[in-house]
Amino acid sequence: MSDCPILSVIIPTHDRAALLERSLQALANQSVAASAFEVLVVADACQDDTAARVTAYAEHASFALRLLGHEARCAAASRNRGAAHARGDLLLFLDDDVVARPELVRAHLDGQGSDTVVLGYSKPVLPSRPSWFQYDAHRWWEDTFRELGRPGRRFSYRDFFSGNVSLSTKLFQRVGGFDTAFTGRLEDYELGVRLLGAGARFSYAPLAIGDHCDTNDLEQWLRRIRQEGMADIQIGERHPELRAGLFARYLIRPGRWRRLLRRLAFAYPERGQRLELLMLRQAALAERFRLRSAWRWIVWGLRDYNYSRGLAATIGGRRALYAWLQEAPLTPSVATDAPCVDLAALPSETNLNVMLEQATRLGLRLSLEGIEVTAIPPLPGAEPLQTHHLYTALRDLAQDQFVPAQALRLSRSLIETG
């Protein structure tokens, strides 16, 4: 085996020895030479036989395999510990429930470049008898990765998923790694903000496929939603420019039922278990009797309720939340001095790149023969605006903005000629 692997695969784990062993077996079947990579398993406060299984597997593994252990009870700390002991110039973070297909490591290696972050495809695998929640979660994941592969996508920090992602060791060290204050959820999103701020370029590699064997049920998902509420406050504390975007949907006035749930969540954030159990029973009954609309109504109420509990546990009451949001910068809008590109007379490539650099901060206006057809506001937490993003923006906005503007231009032309 080579003493200097190109890539270090880091797998944090906690009491999931059987899943982990399956992931290790998949890494033994990669299409690249086993000497090209090493694997570091970081066992965090494991009470099962994880250490014994990894030690036994390492004796006959085709690749270099090391076991690290600690008691941090924190995925961010586990990933940082693995990175600190890695020998490769590249780091590949994999979750212990992601089973790599044979081309995964090669696709990550092929996708790497200067300050490139390669996003892999964690393909969800449904259990043999999926619940309605698992069906919906499967659909959400597939839609998410389908969007990542759309031509011209403008990547943001919310596209950084740590379950199947690679980047250079130098880049990871330069931005400071994962923030270990995030002990529950969304430490990957927060790192994504800093990576994009440091000039990293995100790239989606659809061939870097790992089968994601997620067996979470509705109750486990709700715990994660509560943690997301807590983590969103943490992200907003560290990056105030993101607060307006983080809570834009939450601040849309909800219906009477959700308003009541939010009031209860903020009034009794630590005593919501009884109401949650009651609603979970109602959701189970709705699923049993195939009442899909009722089930969705209950589940989305539960989601809002638990997210609000997470907010309340972190920041306090509703007044504290709204005061905190008011302290943040306003939602970015297109500045009055934002550059304007006329689609009928495009500037040279050099001038266009200069305008796009300004547009990342100020926004961009697009016009057609003097009539503004659309505008692209600044997007905090996203990669810089580039030429291929313009085509996507025009395609997405054509139906409700571009076509009416074209009609106005034609009408004006007919009036002038008549």
Side-chain angles (χ1 to χ4, degrees):
M1 296 182 192
S2 171
D3 290 332
C4 295
I6 302 170
L7 178 142
S8 297
V9 183
I10 298 166
I11 306 177
T13 190
H14 171 70
D15 286 349
R16 299 209 289 188
L19 281 173
L20 173 65
E21 192 166 24
R22 198 162 54 156
S23 297
L24 294 175
Q25 290 168 353
L27 288 170
N29 297 319
Q30 293 299 296
S31 61
V32 299
S35 59
F37 65 95
E38 64 173 351
V39 178
L40 294 90
V41 173
V42 185
D44 188 357
C46 288
Q47 301 298 316
D48 63 0
D49 60 345
T50 292
R53 290 203 192 196
V54 173
T55 301
Y57 193 89
E59 293 179 359
H60 60 81
S62 57
F63 50 82
L65 173 61
R66 286 185 282 158
L67 174 67
L68 305 173
H70 67 166
E71 301 288 328
R73 299 183 183 275
C74 170
S78 294
R79 294 188 179 99
N80 285 349
R81 182 168 173 79
H85 288 80
R87 295 178 296 167
D89 292 332
L90 301 173
L91 304 174
L92 168 57
F93 294 102
L94 277 183
D95 281 352
D96 59 3
D97 57 358
V98 173
V99 180
R101 293 193 185 180
E103 293 298 318
L104 183 142
V105 170
R106 181 182 296 279
H108 276 284
L109 290 173
D110 290 346
Q112 280 296 328
S114 178
D115 285 349
T116 300
V117 174
V118 178
L119 310 170
Y121 175 18
S122 296
K123 183 174 178 60
V125 178
L126 281 170
S128 56
R129 298 182 65 182
S131 65
W132 277 358
F133 162 73
Q134 288 165 334
Y135 266 123
D136 280 3
H138 178 276
R139 188 181 302 112
W140 180 86
W141 270 108
E142 289 287 42
D143 289 345
T144 296
F145 285 108
R146 192 176 297 112
E147 282 295 307
L148 290 183
R150 270 210 325 168
R153 178 175 179 80
R154 189 179 182 187
F155 291 103
S156 80
Y157 70 96
R158 300 181 73 87
D159 296 321
F160 186 85
F161 301 115
S162 55
N164 181 3
V165 65
S166 66
L167 70 166
S168 73
T169 305
K170 288 182 179 179
L171 175 59
F172 184 79
Q173 293 172 343
R174 193 167 84 229
V175 300
F178 289 95
D179 187 339
T180 55
F182 286 74
T183 56
R185 295 272 293 154
L186 305 191
E187 72 280 356
D188 41 8
Y189 282 7
E190 197 282 327
L191 177 56
V193 178
R194 286 183 282 125
L195 285 167
L196 288 168
R201 183 177 65 86
F202 286 11
S203 175
Y204 176 56
L207 295 180
I209 303 177
D211 293 312
H212 185 211
C213 308
D214 187 1
T215 57
N216 280 328
D217 59 19
L218 179 56
E219 193 170 353
Q220 291 169 314
W221 176 70
L222 291 173
R223 285 200 296 270
R224 296 173 71 176
I225 290 298
R226 192 156 61 248
Q227 291 173 336
E228 284 186 14
M230 301 168 71
D232 277 348
I233 296 291
Q234 289 181 283
I235 292 174
E237 284 284 355
R238 286 157 176 74
H239 308 282
E241 72 280 5
L242 299 179
R243 289 185 198 176
L246 276 169
F247 297 98
R249 290 186 180 178
Y250 186 80
L251 293 176
I252 296 173
R253 184 173 175 81
R256 186 178 302 173
W257 166 237
R258 291 194 188 179
R259 287 204 303 273
L260 173 61
L261 289 175
R262 289 184 185 185
R263 289 194 188 100
L264 291 171
F266 277 99
Y268 310 104
E270 302 301 328
R271 294 193 295 175
Q273 197 65 26
R274 184 174 298 178
L275 176 58
E276 180 180 315
L277 289 174
L278 176 62
M279 293 175 68
L280 282 169
R281 291 193 190 103
Q282 299 302 314
L285 283 172
E287 183 169 357
R288 179 180 177 183
F289 291 105
R290 317 303 292 175
L291 303 173
R292 187 76 181 192
S293 296
W295 180 85
R296 286 188 182 277
W297 184 73
I298 296 167
V299 167
W300 283 103
L302 275 167
R303 187 198 186 285
D304 204 82
Y305 176 63
N306 277 276
Y307 184 78
S308 298
R309 287 177 66 194
L311 297 180
T314 308
I315 203 167
R318 287 188 297 164
R319 289 183 180 179
L321 173 64
Y322 295 137
W324 179 78
L325 288 171
Q326 288 174 354
E327 294 171 359
L330 296 174
T331 303
S333 58
V334 180
T336 55
D337 58 343
C340 183
V341 174
D342 193 327
L343 299 174
L346 291 174
S348 66
E349 183 177 353
T350 301
N351 290 337
L352 181 58
N353 287 334
V354 171
M355 295 173 77
L356 291 179
E357 186 177 347
Q358 297 172 338
T360 299
R361 295 180 292 104
L362 304 173
L364 181 69
R365 302 179 189 278
L366 297 175
S367 66
L368 185 63
E369 296 184 358
I371 297 179
E372 186 172 318
V373 292
T374 190
I376 303 174
L379 188 60
E383 63 183 347
L385 195 61
Q386 299 173 36
T387 307
H388 60 275
H389 298 142
L390 301 185
Y391 302 123
T392 304
L394 287 172
R395 181 187 63 209
D396 292 345
L397 298 171
Q399 184 172 351
D400 31 88
Q401 294 191 41
F402 189 81
V403 172
Q406 275 280 59
L408 179 61
R409 184 180 70 86
L410 291 172
S411 299
R412 188 179 69 176
S413 176
L414 288 171
I415 292 170
E416 289 174 352
T417 56

